[in-house]
C-alpha cells in the first residue's frame, strides 16, 4: 500500500471517529434538553400537540368566552402552589385538595382541560402532561382574547400531591397590599416588574363581590362601613350598586368586570383603569404604592401601542411557567387530569 493511500485511509478513519464523537455529544445534549423545559418539546413525540390544544381552545371559547380568564388564572394558581405540575386538576374525596381551597372555589375550566386532554390522548396516548396543557391553554386563552402569541416551553410532568392548605398559604389574597404581594411573588423568584406585568391579566374576566367588598364597606375591619380611601369615589359608588351589603359571597352573586368596558379583550385598558380608579381589588390598587410597579402602570396607561406590554407579558409568563417544574424522570404523565388523590 502506497504512503499516499495509507495517509488517505488514516484521514478517513479520523474523520469517521470525529463524526461519531459529534453525534454522541449531540445525542447527550438532546437528552439533557429533553430533561428540562424547551420550546417544541413534543415535536418528536406528538407533533400536533399545540395544534390540538389551540383547535380545542377555539371551540371552547366560541362556546363560552368567559372561560378565557379562568384558564389563564388556572395556570397562575397551578404554578404558585407546588409549581406548575397540574396538581390543581386533582380531585379529593375528603375535600382537602387544591380545588377545595378558598382561592380556588370559584375556579372554572376544569372540564375544558379534561376535554383537551381527552383529545390529545386519542392521538398521542400518555405523552402530553396536564401541566403542559394548562400552560398552553393559558397562552391560547390570551391569544384568542386579542393578546400576544408567545412560545410556551413544554416538558413539564404532572405531580400527584394536592393539598388545600398549600393553596391557602401560597396564593396572594385579593385584599393584599403591595408588601404582601411582593412577598408572595418573590418566593417564586418573580420581580416587582413581573408583578405589574402579570397583574395585567386582570384585563379580562370578572369577579364576585366577596373578593373586593371589604374595600367598600369595612376597609379597616372595624365594622364602621368605611371605604378604602384609595378607591375612586365614583367607581366605588358604581360597585356599591352592583354589590350591596350582604352580597359578599366569594363565589356567588353578581359578577363584576375587572376591567370595565374591556372585559373580553386583552389590552392596556386595565392599566388606565388602575391608575384612574384604584382597580377592582385592593391588590390592583396596591400597584400604585410601589415606585417600580407604579412606574410601569403609568407607562402603560399612557402607551400608544401594546407591543412593549405584549413582549413583557410573554416573558413574564414563560418565567412563571418555569416555577418548580417536574421534568425528566420526576412526576408522571397522567392519562386523565382529574384523577382522585384520596
Amino acid at each position: 500500500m502506497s504512503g499516499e493511500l495509507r495517509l488517505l485511509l488514516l484521514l478517513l478513519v479520523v474523520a469517521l471517529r470525529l463524526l461519531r464523537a459529534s453525534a454522541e455529544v449531540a445525542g447527550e445534549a438532546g437528552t439533557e434538553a429533553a430533561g428540562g423545559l424547551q420550546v417544541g418539546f413534543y415535536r418528536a413525540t406528538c407533533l400536533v400537540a399545540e395544534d390540538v390544544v389551540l383547535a380545542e381552545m377555539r371551540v371552547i371559547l366560541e362556546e363560552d368566552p368567559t372561560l378565557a380568564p379562568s384558564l389563564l388564572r388556572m395556570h397562575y394558581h397551578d404554578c404558585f402552589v407546588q409549581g406548575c405540575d397540574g396538581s390543581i386538576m386533582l380531585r379529593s374525596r375528603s375535600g382537602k385538595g387544591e380545588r377545595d381551597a378558598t382561592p380556588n372555589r370559584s375556579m372554572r375550566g376544569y372540564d375544558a382541560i379534561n376535554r383537551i386532554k381527552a383529545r390529545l390522548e386519542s392521538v398521542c396516548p400518555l405523552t402530553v402532561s396536564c401541566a403542559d396543557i394548562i400552560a398552553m391553554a393559558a397562552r391560547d386563552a390570551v391569544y384568542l382574547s386579542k393578546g400576544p402569541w408567545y412560545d410556551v416551553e413544554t416538558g413539564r410532568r404532572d405531580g400527584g400531591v394536592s393539598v388545600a392548605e398549600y393553596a391557602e398559604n401560597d396564593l396572594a389574597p385579593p385584599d393584599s397590599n403591595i408588601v404582601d404581594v411582593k412577598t408572595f411573588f418573590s418566593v417564586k423568584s418573580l420581580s416587582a416588574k413581573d408583578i405589574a406585568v402579570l397583574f395585567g391579566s386582570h384585563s379580562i374576566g370578572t369577579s364576585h363581590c366577596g373578593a373586593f367588598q371589604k374595600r367598600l364597606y369595612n376597609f379597616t375591619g372595624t365594622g364602621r362601613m368605611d371605604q378604602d380611601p384609595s378607591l375612586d369615589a365614583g367607581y366605588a359608588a358604581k360597585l356599591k350598586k352592583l354589590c350591596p351589603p350582604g352580597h359578599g359571597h366569594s363565589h356567588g352573586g353578581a359578577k363584576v368586570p375587572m376591567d370595565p368596558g374591556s372585559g373580553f379583550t386583552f389590552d392596556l385598558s386595565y392599566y388606565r383603569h388602575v391608575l384612574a380608579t384604584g382597580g377592582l381589588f385592593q391588590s390592583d390598587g396596591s400597584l400604585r404604592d410601589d415606585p417600580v410597579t407604579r412606574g410601569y402602570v403609568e407607562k402603560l396607561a399612557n402607551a400608544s401601542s401594546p407591543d412593549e406590554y405584549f413582549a413583557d407579558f410573554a416573558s413574564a409568563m414563560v418565567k412563571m411557567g418555569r416555577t418548580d417544574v417536574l421534568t425528566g424522570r420526576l412526576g408522571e404523565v397522567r392519562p386523565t387530569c382529574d384523577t382522585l388523590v384520596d
Side-chain angles (χ1 to χ4, degrees), residues 12-224:
L12 181 60
V13 169
V14 171
L16 287 172
R17 287 180 176 174
L18 287 173
L19 285 172
R20 179 179 293 177
S22 297
E24 290 174 351
V25 170
E28 291 173 0
T31 301
E32 183 179 353
L37 298 183
Q38 64 183 83
V39 174
F41 178 84
Y42 295 108
R43 283 174 188 156
T45 56
C46 188
L47 183 60
V48 298
E50 296 206 31
D51 294 332
V52 169
V53 176
L54 179 58
E56 288 295 318
M57 282 294 295
R58 287 187 187 278
V59 177
I60 287 167
L61 296 186
E62 284 176 3
E63 295 173 353
D64 185 358
T66 67
L67 282 176
S70 298
L71 291 167
L72 176 55
R73 178 184 176 218
M74 183 182 289
H75 183 39
Y76 158 56
H77 281 216
D78 186 40
C79 288
F80 265 62
V81 183
Q82 302 183 94
C84 315
D85 66 349
S87 58
I88 193 171
M89 287 294 300
L90 295 170
R91 291 180 295 129
S92 166
R93 288 190 182 92
S94 63
K96 296 180 180 179
E98 288 177 38
R99 284 197 191 199
D100 306 300
T102 300
N104 290 330
R105 288 177 187 167
S106 61
M107 182 70 70
R108 300 170 61 237
Y110 298 116
D111 289 343
I113 299 300
N114 283 333
R115 173 173 168 175
I116 296 169
K117 175 64 170 176
R119 181 74 181 94
L120 283 167
E121 286 298 302
S122 71
V123 294
C124 304
L126 291 177
T127 303
V128 184
S129 69
C130 301
D132 278 343
I133 292 171
I134 292 171
M136 289 186 280
R139 184 271 310 279
D140 294 349
V142 170
Y143 174 67
L144 295 172
S145 300
K146 300 183 180 180
W149 174 271
Y150 56 92
D151 289 326
V152 172
E153 294 177 339
T154 45
R156 301 168 189 80
R157 289 168 66 85
D158 299 322
V161 177
S162 183
V163 180
E165 185 179 357
Y166 297 164
E168 302 279 3
N169 293 336
D170 293 345
L171 294 167
D175 62 351
S176 299
N177 59 40
I178 192 61
V179 174
D180 291 338
V181 172
K182 288 172 72 173
T183 299
F184 278 100
F185 275 68
S186 65
V187 170
K188 308 302 178 183
S189 300
L190 295 168
S191 67
K193 180 182 177 181
D194 293 327
I195 293 170
V197 172
L198 293 171
F199 267 43
S201 62
H202 291 174
S203 176
I204 55 176
T206 60
S207 171
H208 294 286
C209 297
F212 57 86
Q213 199 165 38
K214 180 181 176 182
R215 294 187 83 187
L216 303 176
Y217 302 112
N218 190 23
F219 183 66
T220 59
T222 60
R224 297 179 179 178

